[in-house]
Amino acid sequence: GGWMVVRVLQWNVRRFRDANGANSTAQVLATLRRLQPSIVALNEVELADPDSKSVLSQLSTGTRLRHHEFWGHVRGVYGNALLSSSPLSCVKRLKLDGGTTIETRSGSAHRIVRGLLVCETRIAGLSLRVAVTHLDHISDTQRAAQAYHLVRELPLLGDGRQTVLLGDLNALSKSDYRNSEWREHERYNEMRGWLPPLDASEGSLAILRDAGFTDCFKAVNQHQGKWKRPPWTAHITSDGPRYRIDYVLSRTSGQPWPKLVAKAAHVDDNCLDISDHCPVVVDFVTVGS
């Protein structure tokens, strides 16, 4: 048969708050309606406020993303969500190993726990496992511990099902940046009294790569080390350095079964006032069905 396009979107929506702290649900909905994805992963979904309790139902009702699942690993109200045009099943919610421990105002130690939400779906005639996470924002050592846990929780499936892993991984890959751009990150960290940035392509991202996960945006948009289109996904309007930390990763079984292959990808920068992250949009086509 003819191939089908499956559009997947990854977006950290900053608790549905715009730059002024106002509720941004209407703008998020307008963006999803404009981009028309089939599968959406959202990070920093906050359902604690009265005006955001029903935000996922609002997004679902206002788009063709009729199905949604949420994992509020923090107090049941803050975490990650998946929305899909096809039914979601076999839902798994878990807390990841690792996470930086910080000292709270009262002087006690608090580990910043991160969550993983995994669902199964059937889309374009294919069985697919979809997962969303949001990794540690302070230490690549902690992100590496979380990446090992992800790999354990997302083993290769015997029936050849593909896995798509989405999320704000907070991980910088040095090869994404020119030397001058990487130096900006070093200067920025120094200014804030942080350790220098670690190249996650030798740390957390290497763990995922070695487990067979492909970086879809890079696969279609980087040629001989040069970007065909701007890759920056977060803090684009800030005075600080540029960031590529939001990822769509895919792993197929290597078997000749039908699969989704990334054909195009872009960062949608028409919504800079909605969140400090932009949506990463990847268009997959079905191959071999």
Side-chain angles (χ1 to χ4, degrees), residues 190-220:
E190 199 179 343
M191 196 177 75
R192 303 197 67 155
W194 298 347
L195 291 168
L198 280 174
D199 181 4
S201 69
E202 296 173 358
S204 55
L205 295 175
I207 293 161
L208 297 171
R209 188 175 65 232
D210 293 347
F213 284 98
T214 302
D215 179 341
C216 296
F217 186 93
K218 195 174 245 182
V220 297

PDB file of all heavy atoms in Angstrom, residues 190-220:
ATOM      1  N   GLU A 190      30.133  28.795  34.274  1.00  0.00           N
ATOM      2  CA  GLU A 190      31.119  29.395  35.171  1.00  0.00           C
ATOM      3  C   GLU A 190      30.511  30.588  35.911  1.00  0.00           C
ATOM      4  O   GLU A 190      30.659  30.735  37.126  1.00  0.00           O
ATOM      5  CB  GLU A 190      32.325  29.850  34.334  1.00  0.00           C
ATOM      6  CG  GLU A 190      33.585  30.067  35.134  1.00  0.00           C
ATOM      7  CD  GLU A 190      34.745  30.500  34.240  1.00  0.00           C
ATOM      8  OE1 GLU A 190      34.650  30.315  33.003  1.00  0.00           O
ATOM      9  OE2 GLU A 190      35.726  31.035  34.782  1.00  0.00           O
ATOM     10  N   MET A 191      29.790  31.421  35.146  1.00  0.00           N
ATOM     11  CA  MET A 191      29.143  32.606  35.705  1.00  0.00           C
ATOM     12  C   MET A 191      28.173  32.225  36.826  1.00  0.00           C
ATOM     13  O   MET A 191      28.030  32.935  37.811  1.00  0.00           O
ATOM     14  CB  MET A 191      28.384  33.291  34.572  1.00  0.00           C
ATOM     15  CG  MET A 191      27.953  34.701  34.810  1.00  0.00           C
ATOM     16  SD  MET A 191      27.163  35.295  33.283  1.00  0.00           S
ATOM     17  CE  MET A 191      25.573  34.450  33.342  1.00  0.00           C
ATOM     18  N   ARG A 192      27.496  31.076  36.663  1.00  0.00           N
ATOM     19  CA  ARG A 192      26.503  30.666  37.654  1.00  0.00           C
ATOM     20  C   ARG A 192      27.094  29.786  38.756  1.00  0.00           C
ATOM     21  O   ARG A 192      26.363  29.282  39.601  1.00  0.00           O
ATOM     22  CB  ARG A 192      25.361  29.921  36.958  1.00  0.00           C
ATOM     23  CG  ARG A 192      24.720  30.794  35.876  1.00  0.00           C
ATOM     24  CD  ARG A 192      23.373  30.294  35.459  1.00  0.00           C
ATOM     25  NE  ARG A 192      22.386  30.399  36.530  1.00  0.00           N
ATOM     26  CZ  ARG A 192      21.082  30.491  36.320  1.00  0.00           C
ATOM     27  NH1 ARG A 192      20.615  30.504  35.101  1.00  0.00           N
ATOM     28  NH2 ARG A 192      20.249  30.559  37.313  1.00  0.00           N
ATOM     29  N   GLY A 193      28.416  29.574  38.690  1.00  0.00           N
ATOM     30  CA  GLY A 193      29.060  28.760  39.710  1.00  0.00           C
ATOM     31  C   GLY A 193      28.793  27.271  39.544  1.00  0.00           C
ATOM     32  O   GLY A 193      28.880  26.502  40.500  1.00  0.00           O
ATOM     33  N   TRP A 194      28.432  26.849  38.308  1.00  0.00           N
ATOM     34  CA  TRP A 194      28.183  25.439  38.035  1.00  0.00           C
ATOM     35  C   TRP A 194      29.437  24.784  37.475  1.00  0.00           C
ATOM     36  O   TRP A 194      30.351  25.455  37.009  1.00  0.00           O
ATOM     37  CB  TRP A 194      27.071  25.271  36.991  1.00  0.00           C
ATOM     38  CG  TRP A 194      25.741  25.804  37.405  1.00  0.00           C
ATOM     39  CD1 TRP A 194      25.345  26.192  38.655  1.00  0.00           C
ATOM     40  CD2 TRP A 194      24.611  26.028  36.540  1.00  0.00           C
ATOM     41  NE1 TRP A 194      24.045  26.636  38.634  1.00  0.00           N
ATOM     42  CE2 TRP A 194      23.572  26.548  37.343  1.00  0.00           C
ATOM     43  CE3 TRP A 194      24.381  25.840  35.181  1.00  0.00           C
ATOM     44  CZ2 TRP A 194      22.313  26.870  36.830  1.00  0.00           C
ATOM     45  CZ3 TRP A 194      23.141  26.165  34.670  1.00  0.00           C
ATOM     46  CH2 TRP A 194      22.113  26.668  35.483  1.00  0.00           C
ATOM     47  N   LEU A 195      29.441  23.459  37.484  1.00  0.00           N
ATOM     48  CA  LEU A 195      30.517  22.714  36.819  1.00  0.00           C
ATOM     49  C   LEU A 195      30.416  22.957  35.311  1.00  0.00           C
ATOM     50  O   LEU A 195      29.341  23.267  34.806  1.00  0.00           O
ATOM     51  CB  LEU A 195      30.368  21.214  37.111  1.00  0.00           C
ATOM     52  CG  LEU A 195      30.636  20.791  38.557  1.00  0.00           C
ATOM     53  CD1 LEU A 195      30.183  19.360  38.780  1.00  0.00           C
ATOM     54  CD2 LEU A 195      32.110  20.937  38.900  1.00  0.00           C
ATOM     55  N   PRO A 196      31.536  22.810  34.582  1.00  0.00           N
ATOM     56  CA  PRO A 196      31.460  22.996  33.135  1.00  0.00           C
ATOM     57  C   PRO A 196      30.516  21.976  32.499  1.00  0.00           C
ATOM     58  O   PRO A 196      30.300  20.896  33.073  1.00  0.00           O
ATOM     59  CB  PRO A 196      32.898  22.762  32.645  1.00  0.00           C
ATOM     60  CG  PRO A 196      33.730  22.543  33.843  1.00  0.00           C
ATOM     61  CD  PRO A 196      32.865  22.467  35.052  1.00  0.00           C
ATOM     62  N   PRO A 197      29.917  22.311  31.331  1.00  0.00           N
ATOM     63  CA  PRO A 197      29.004  21.363  30.696  1.00  0.00           C
ATOM     64  C   PRO A 197      29.744  20.097  30.281  1.00  0.00           C
ATOM     65  O   PRO A 197      30.886  20.167  29.834  1.00  0.00           O
ATOM     66  CB  PRO A 197      28.506  22.118  29.463  1.00  0.00           C
ATOM     67  CG  PRO A 197      29.562  23.131  29.176  1.00  0.00           C
ATOM     68  CD  PRO A 197      30.140  23.509  30.502  1.00  0.00           C
ATOM     69  N   LEU A 198      29.074  18.950  30.453  1.00  0.00           N
ATOM     70  CA  LEU A 198      29.656  17.686  30.007  1.00  0.00           C
ATOM     71  C   LEU A 198      29.092  17.341  28.639  1.00  0.00           C
ATOM     72  O   LEU A 198      27.925  17.617  28.358  1.00  0.00           O
ATOM     73  CB  LEU A 198      29.315  16.573  30.993  1.00  0.00           C
ATOM     74  CG  LEU A 198      30.164  16.486  32.262  1.00  0.00           C
ATOM     75  CD1 LEU A 198      29.596  15.418  33.185  1.00  0.00           C
ATOM     76  CD2 LEU A 198      31.618  16.166  31.931  1.00  0.00           C
ATOM     77  N   ASP A 199      29.910  16.742  27.801  1.00  0.00           N
ATOM     78  CA  ASP A 199      29.450  16.290  26.495  1.00  0.00           C
ATOM     79  C   ASP A 199      28.662  15.000  26.678  1.00  0.00           C
ATOM     80  O   ASP A 199      29.239  13.934  26.877  1.00  0.00           O
ATOM     81  CB  ASP A 199      30.663  16.080  25.580  1.00  0.00           C
ATOM     82  CG  ASP A 199      30.253  15.626  24.192  1.00  0.00           C
ATOM     83  OD1 ASP A 199      29.028  15.559  23.926  1.00  0.00           O
ATOM     84  OD2 ASP A 199      31.145  15.346  23.369  1.00  0.00           O
ATOM     85  N   ALA A 200      27.326  15.121  26.591  1.00  0.00           N
ATOM     86  CA  ALA A 200      26.465  13.962  26.844  1.00  0.00           C
ATOM     87  C   ALA A 200      26.586  12.903  25.751  1.00  0.00           C
ATOM     88  O   ALA A 200      26.136  11.771  25.934  1.00  0.00           O
ATOM     89  CB  ALA A 200      25.010  14.404  26.980  1.00  0.00           C
ATOM     90  N   SER A 201      27.189  13.262  24.607  1.00  0.00           N
ATOM     91  CA  SER A 201      27.352  12.248  23.550  1.00  0.00           C
ATOM     92  C   SER A 201      28.381  11.205  23.981  1.00  0.00           C
ATOM     93  O   SER A 201      28.537  10.168  23.344  1.00  0.00           O
ATOM     94  CB  SER A 201      27.758  12.891  22.225  1.00  0.00           C
ATOM     95  OG  SER A 201      29.066  13.405  22.315  1.00  0.00           O
ATOM     96  N   GLU A 202      29.103  11.499  25.084  1.00  0.00           N
ATOM     97  CA  GLU A 202      29.991  10.486  25.679  1.00  0.00           C
ATOM     98  C   GLU A 202      29.423  10.004  27.010  1.00  0.00           C
ATOM     99  O   GLU A 202      30.068   9.256  27.729  1.00  0.00           O
ATOM    100  CB  GLU A 202      31.390  11.085  25.887  1.00  0.00           C
ATOM    101  CG  GLU A 202      32.068  11.463  24.577  1.00  0.00           C
ATOM    102  CD  GLU A 202      33.380  12.214  24.782  1.00  0.00           C
ATOM    103  OE1 GLU A 202      33.740  12.468  25.946  1.00  0.00           O
ATOM    104  OE2 GLU A 202      34.020  12.537  23.770  1.00  0.00           O
ATOM    105  N   GLY A 203      28.212  10.480  27.361  1.00  0.00           N
ATOM    106  CA  GLY A 203      27.592  10.120  28.640  1.00  0.00           C
ATOM    107  C   GLY A 203      26.187   9.590  28.445  1.00  0.00           C
ATOM    108  O   GLY A 203      25.991   8.525  27.859  1.00  0.00           O
ATOM    109  N   SER A 204      25.199  10.366  28.907  1.00  0.00           N
ATOM    110  CA  SER A 204      23.807   9.889  28.890  1.00  0.00           C
ATOM    111  C   SER A 204      23.325   9.552  27.479  1.00  0.00           C
ATOM    112  O   SER A 204      22.659   8.534  27.271  1.00  0.00           O
ATOM    113  CB  SER A 204      22.887  10.939  29.523  1.00  0.00           C
ATOM    114  OG  SER A 204      23.043  12.190  28.880  1.00  0.00           O
ATOM    115  N   LEU A 205      23.655  10.403  26.504  1.00  0.00           N
ATOM    116  CA  LEU A 205      23.184  10.142  25.136  1.00  0.00           C
ATOM    117  C   LEU A 205      23.873   8.934  24.523  1.00  0.00           C
ATOM    118  O   LEU A 205      23.289   8.214  23.707  1.00  0.00           O
ATOM    119  CB  LEU A 205      23.390  11.382  24.248  1.00  0.00           C
ATOM    120  CG  LEU A 205      22.560  12.620  24.628  1.00  0.00           C
ATOM    121  CD1 LEU A 205      22.946  13.808  23.755  1.00  0.00           C
ATOM    122  CD2 LEU A 205      21.060  12.339  24.525  1.00  0.00           C
ATOM    123  N   ALA A 206      25.134   8.684  24.922  1.00  0.00           N
ATOM    124  CA  ALA A 206      25.863   7.509  24.419  1.00  0.00           C
ATOM    125  C   ALA A 206      25.187   6.219  24.896  1.00  0.00           C
ATOM    126  O   ALA A 206      25.126   5.232  24.154  1.00  0.00           O
ATOM    127  CB  ALA A 206      27.312   7.553  24.875  1.00  0.00           C
ATOM    128  N   ILE A 207      24.671   6.242  26.118  1.00  0.00           N
ATOM    129  CA  ILE A 207      24.001   5.055  26.674  1.00  0.00           C
ATOM    130  C   ILE A 207      22.768   4.715  25.828  1.00  0.00           C
ATOM    131  O   ILE A 207      22.519   3.553  25.484  1.00  0.00           O
ATOM    132  CB  ILE A 207      23.622   5.305  28.153  1.00  0.00           C
ATOM    133  CG1 ILE A 207      24.891   5.410  29.003  1.00  0.00           C
ATOM    134  CG2 ILE A 207      22.694   4.209  28.681  1.00  0.00           C
ATOM    135  CD1 ILE A 207      24.691   6.093  30.343  1.00  0.00           C
ATOM    136  N   LEU A 208      22.012   5.745  25.453  1.00  0.00           N
ATOM    137  CA  LEU A 208      20.816   5.523  24.633  1.00  0.00           C
ATOM    138  C   LEU A 208      21.204   5.115  23.207  1.00  0.00           C
ATOM    139  O   LEU A 208      20.590   4.230  22.613  1.00  0.00           O
ATOM    140  CB  LEU A 208      19.946   6.788  24.634  1.00  0.00           C
ATOM    141  CG  LEU A 208      19.400   7.177  26.016  1.00  0.00           C
ATOM    142  CD1 LEU A 208      18.742   8.546  25.982  1.00  0.00           C
ATOM    143  CD2 LEU A 208      18.406   6.130  26.524  1.00  0.00           C
ATOM    144  N   ARG A 209      22.249   5.753  22.682  1.00  0.00           N
ATOM    145  CA  ARG A 209      22.721   5.417  21.328  1.00  0.00           C
ATOM    146  C   ARG A 209      23.201   3.963  21.270  1.00  0.00           C
ATOM    147  O   ARG A 209      22.868   3.221  20.348  1.00  0.00           O
ATOM    148  CB  ARG A 209      23.853   6.381  20.953  1.00  0.00           C
ATOM    149  CG  ARG A 209      24.327   6.297  19.507  1.00  0.00           C
ATOM    150  CD  ARG A 209      25.364   7.365  19.222  1.00  0.00           C
ATOM    151  NE  ARG A 209      26.591   7.155  20.006  1.00  0.00           N
ATOM    152  CZ  ARG A 209      27.155   8.092  20.766  1.00  0.00           C
ATOM    153  NH1 ARG A 209      26.627   9.301  20.876  1.00  0.00           N
ATOM    154  NH2 ARG A 209      28.259   7.821  21.439  1.00  0.00           N
ATOM    155  N   ASP A 210      23.962   3.553  22.292  1.00  0.00           N
ATOM    156  CA  ASP A 210      24.486   2.179  22.326  1.00  0.00           C
ATOM    157  C   ASP A 210      23.361   1.151  22.475  1.00  0.00           C
ATOM    158  O   ASP A 210      23.533  -0.009  22.110  1.00  0.00           O
ATOM    159  CB  ASP A 210      25.501   2.007  23.459  1.00  0.00           C
ATOM    160  CG  ASP A 210      26.766   2.825  23.215  1.00  0.00           C
ATOM    161  OD1 ASP A 210      26.949   3.318  22.077  1.00  0.00           O
ATOM    162  OD2 ASP A 210      27.574   2.989  24.156  1.00  0.00           O
ATOM    163  N   ALA A 211      22.217   1.588  23.015  1.00  0.00           N
ATOM    164  CA  ALA A 211      21.067   0.678  23.148  1.00  0.00           C
ATOM    165  C   ALA A 211      20.255   0.647  21.854  1.00  0.00           C
ATOM    166  O   ALA A 211      19.215  -0.006  21.794  1.00  0.00           O
ATOM    167  CB  ALA A 211      20.201   1.121  24.312  1.00  0.00           C
ATOM    168  N   GLY A 212      20.712   1.376  20.829  1.00  0.00           N
ATOM    169  CA  GLY A 212      20.055   1.310  19.519  1.00  0.00           C
ATOM    170  C   GLY A 212      19.134   2.462  19.191  1.00  0.00           C
ATOM    171  O   GLY A 212      18.458   2.449  18.162  1.00  0.00           O
ATOM    172  N   PHE A 213      19.091   3.489  20.061  1.00  0.00           N
ATOM    173  CA  PHE A 213      18.211   4.632  19.786  1.00  0.00           C
ATOM    174  C   PHE A 213      18.879   5.626  18.833  1.00  0.00           C
ATOM    175  O   PHE A 213      20.028   6.002  19.025  1.00  0.00           O
ATOM    176  CB  PHE A 213      17.822   5.342  21.089  1.00  0.00           C
ATOM    177  CG  PHE A 213      16.781   4.602  21.876  1.00  0.00           C
ATOM    178  CD1 PHE A 213      17.132   3.782  22.943  1.00  0.00           C
ATOM    179  CD2 PHE A 213      15.437   4.717  21.541  1.00  0.00           C
ATOM    180  CE1 PHE A 213      16.170   3.082  23.661  1.00  0.00           C
ATOM    181  CE2 PHE A 213      14.464   4.020  22.256  1.00  0.00           C
ATOM    182  CZ  PHE A 213      14.838   3.203  23.321  1.00  0.00           C
ATOM    183  N   THR A 214      18.119   6.036  17.808  1.00  0.00           N
ATOM    184  CA  THR A 214      18.588   7.009  16.814  1.00  0.00           C
ATOM    185  C   THR A 214      17.993   8.376  17.123  1.00  0.00           C
ATOM    186  O   THR A 214      16.802   8.480  17.431  1.00  0.00           O
ATOM    187  CB  THR A 214      18.115   6.581  15.402  1.00  0.00           C
ATOM    188  OG1 THR A 214      18.622   5.287  15.134  1.00  0.00           O
ATOM    189  CG2 THR A 214      18.610   7.543  14.343  1.00  0.00           C
ATOM    190  N   ASP A 215      18.793   9.404  17.001  1.00  0.00           N
ATOM    191  CA  ASP A 215      18.382  10.788  17.186  1.00  0.00           C
ATOM    192  C   ASP A 215      17.766  11.261  15.862  1.00  0.00           C
ATOM    193  O   ASP A 215      18.470  11.573  14.917  1.00  0.00           O
ATOM    194  CB  ASP A 215      19.648  11.579  17.553  1.00  0.00           C
ATOM    195  CG  ASP A 215      19.411  13.060  17.767  1.00  0.00           C
ATOM    196  OD1 ASP A 215      18.378  13.580  17.309  1.00  0.00           O
ATOM    197  OD2 ASP A 215      20.294  13.687  18.384  1.00  0.00           O
ATOM    198  N   CYS A 216      16.424  11.280  15.802  1.00  0.00           N
ATOM    199  CA  CYS A 216      15.735  11.492  14.520  1.00  0.00           C
ATOM    200  C   CYS A 216      16.005  12.864  13.913  1.00  0.00           C
ATOM    201  O   CYS A 216      16.192  12.981  12.698  1.00  0.00           O
ATOM    202  CB  CYS A 216      14.234  11.300  14.699  1.00  0.00           C
ATOM    203  SG  CYS A 216      13.814   9.610  15.155  1.00  0.00           S
ATOM    204  N   PHE A 217      16.026  13.908  14.738  1.00  0.00           N
ATOM    205  CA  PHE A 217      16.257  15.251  14.194  1.00  0.00           C
ATOM    206  C   PHE A 217      17.632  15.322  13.543  1.00  0.00           C
ATOM    207  O   PHE A 217      17.797  15.831  12.439  1.00  0.00           O
ATOM    208  CB  PHE A 217      16.132  16.308  15.309  1.00  0.00           C
ATOM    209  CG  PHE A 217      16.225  17.717  14.782  1.00  0.00           C
ATOM    210  CD1 PHE A 217      15.085  18.414  14.436  1.00  0.00           C
ATOM    211  CD2 PHE A 217      17.460  18.339  14.616  1.00  0.00           C
ATOM    212  CE1 PHE A 217      15.172  19.712  13.917  1.00  0.00           C
ATOM    213  CE2 PHE A 217      17.556  19.625  14.101  1.00  0.00           C
ATOM    214  CZ  PHE A 217      16.408  20.320  13.757  1.00  0.00           C
ATOM    215  N   LYS A 218      18.626  14.780  14.240  1.00  0.00           N
ATOM    216  CA  LYS A 218      19.999  14.818  13.724  1.00  0.00           C
ATOM    217  C   LYS A 218      20.118  13.980  12.454  1.00  0.00           C
ATOM    218  O   LYS A 218      20.785  14.374  11.498  1.00  0.00           O
ATOM    219  CB  LYS A 218      20.959  14.297  14.797  1.00  0.00           C
ATOM    220  CG  LYS A 218      22.414  14.612  14.535  1.00  0.00           C
ATOM    221  CD  LYS A 218      23.281  14.195  15.708  1.00  0.00           C
ATOM    222  CE  LYS A 218      23.924  15.407  16.350  1.00  0.00           C
ATOM    223  NZ  LYS A 218      24.805  15.094  17.461  1.00  0.00           N
ATOM    224  N   ALA A 219      19.455  12.828  12.438  1.00  0.00           N
ATOM    225  CA  ALA A 219      19.540  11.928  11.282  1.00  0.00           C
ATOM    226  C   ALA A 219      19.082  12.608   9.998  1.00  0.00           C
ATOM    227  O   ALA A 219      19.662  12.389   8.937  1.00  0.00           O
ATOM    228  CB  ALA A 219      18.718  10.662  11.541  1.00  0.00           C
ATOM    229  N   VAL A 220      18.057  13.462  10.097  1.00  0.00           N
ATOM    230  CA  VAL A 220      17.558  14.084   8.864  1.00  0.00           C
ATOM    231  C   VAL A 220      18.089  15.499   8.628  1.00  0.00           C
ATOM    232  O   VAL A 220      18.005  16.000   7.509  1.00  0.00           O
ATOM    233  CB  VAL A 220      16.012  14.098   8.788  1.00  0.00           C
ATOM    234  CG1 VAL A 220      15.463  12.688   8.761  1.00  0.00           C
ATOM    235  CG2 VAL A 220      15.396  14.882   9.912  1.00  0.00           C
TER     236      VAL A 220
END
